Amino acid sequence: MHVAPRSAEPGASEAPRLSRRHLLALGLAAPALGGCAAFDYRAADAPRALRQMPSLEPRPDIALVLGSGGPRGYAHIGVLRVLEEAGIVPDLVVGSSVGSVIGAFWASGLDAAEIDARSFEGGPLTVFDPTPFADRGWIRGQRLQDYVNGGLRGRSLEQLPRRLIVVATRRDDKTPRFFASGNAGVVVRASSAMPGIVSPVGISGIEYEDGDESLPVPVTPARQAGARFVIAVDVSARAGATPPDASAALRERDARRRARIDPEVARADFVIHPDLEYRAGPFKSYFVSSRRRGEAHARERLPALKSALKAALDERLGAPTRLAASRAS
């Protein structure tokens, strides 16, 4: 899967990475000489953007929110593994950026082990198509779109066996939009379109970019959808983790992202926030470290999560079975 490079991820601009210069030097971008026209998807299955999520029926018992974070997103796989082993089964997943990639494959019916295996197939060029002719970036995004649609066997968001909401950001005003129907690959591509790196994604005449630019950890749409219990997984750098030698620009970026995240996680019923290596990079060692740290932190937090779920169930006599199945054993 290899869902990075993401040079704007905290620390990544100061870490070794597959830069545009390196990729071009390897000759990997040379075949992609397709021009720089803006991408605008207008087919019959174009995803429908929503300013606000309507209440879903049946009402979700447990929503799992998977946040943005580039290569840090491998921690989501570790968290999913722990939840599955504990019998905690979300019936709604909400994803932003890399969280939308992991969320889409989970919503397709794959379990954590299957997503983990898929994530190590191929290299970065499995999902990235670098070219000097990309529109306002150096990665087009078409390969990610095709990778997702191929993995989902062409199913649209509303056809997936588990419910999924994907968050992307309107490029003109930086406000979030929510997608629960339409072409899954297109909307995951939009949610992952890092400004200056991945080309913006037009959908029915409106341009979108990375969900991280508006809602890195999108609890709001889960609440709007009516979720009874929201588990938020935040894989961003923890507050105060910025190294002393970080640039002023990087410190400012961390502060802005944290200002977007904090109000969202405050609305969740439970937060899982693994402590990941600050300097992220598109390397197998970082992917493995993130997945392991995500799993270890989720295991550490599992007793508290079970207690929180039990308390929520006790407040709602007769709550549906997924909450009941999540009680501490």
Side-chain angles (χ1 to χ4, degrees), residues 20 32 35-37 129-140 197 199:
R20 176 180 182 176
C36 58
D129 41 12
T131 167
F133 300 95
D135 171 41
R136 290 164 289 173
W138 54 276
I139 293 174
R140 292 177 61 228
I197 298 177
S199 299

Side-chain angles (χ1 to χ4, degrees), residues 256-316:
R256 289 199 306 268
R257 178 177 282 124
R258 181 51 49 193
R260 295 194 296 270
I261 292 173
D262 286 348
E264 289 296 303
V265 296
R267 303 188 66 195
D269 295 288
F270 197 86
V271 179
I272 297 174
H273 191 181
D275 188 8
L276 306 177
E277 296 176 53
Y278 182 83
R279 289 186 166 89
F283 308 108
K284 184 176 180 179
S285 60
Y286 191 86
F287 303 153
V288 171
S289 171
S290 295
R291 185 200 65 205
R292 288 175 176 170
R293 290 188 182 210
E295 181 174 345
H297 183 68
R299 291 194 189 284
E300 179 183 325
R301 297 280 286 148
L302 184 59
L305 174 57
K306 286 185 173 183
S307 294
L309 283 164
K310 183 179 184 301
L313 177 63
D314 289 344
E315 290 179 1
R316 305 182 185 98

Side-chain angles (χ1 to χ4, degrees), residues 53-218:
M53 276 301 302
S55 297
L56 297 181
E57 293 296 338
R59 185 178 176 185
D61 296 329
I62 302 174
L64 179 65
V65 175
L66 302 178
S68 61
R72 295 170 171 272
Y74 278 74
H76 290 315
I77 301 174
V79 173
L80 281 170
R81 184 189 298 273
V82 172
L83 296 181
E84 288 174 359
E85 291 177 357
I88 298 172
V89 185
D91 53 349
L92 171 66
V93 64
V94 184
S96 180
S97 197
V98 65
S100 76
V101 182
I102 303 296
F105 283 101
W106 182 83
S108 76
L110 299 183
D111 61 23
E114 291 169 321
I115 296 172
D116 192 28
R118 181 180 289 267
S119 73
F120 287 102
E121 295 173 358
L125 294 180
T126 303
V127 294
F128 293 118
D129 41 12
T131 167
F133 300 95
D135 171 41
R136 290 164 289 173
W138 54 276
I139 293 174
R140 292 177 61 228
Q142 183 67 50
R143 193 167 292 171
L144 174 60
Q145 175 182 325
D146 294 343
Y147 177 80
V148 171
N149 280 335
L152 272 53
R153 302 195 302 277
R155 289 172 292 180
S156 61
L157 295 178
E158 69 272 22
Q159 292 173 332
L160 298 176
R162 297 162 173 164
R163 291 183 288 186
L164 171 67
I165 299 170
V166 174
V167 179
T169 303
R170 271 183 61 127
R171 189 169 180 273
D172 59 354
D173 61 7
K174 304 298 185 183
T175 57
R177 290 295 183 270
F178 312 130
F179 298 85
S181 64
N183 189 296
V186 170
V187 76
V188 169
R189 174 180 178 179
S191 183
S192 306
M194 180 67 193
I197 298 177
V198 183
S199 299
V201 176
I203 300 175
S204 301
I206 304 295
E207 286 193 329
Y208 297 92
E209 61 188 16
D210 203 322
D212 180 76
E213 296 296 307
S214 57
L215 289 181
V217 186

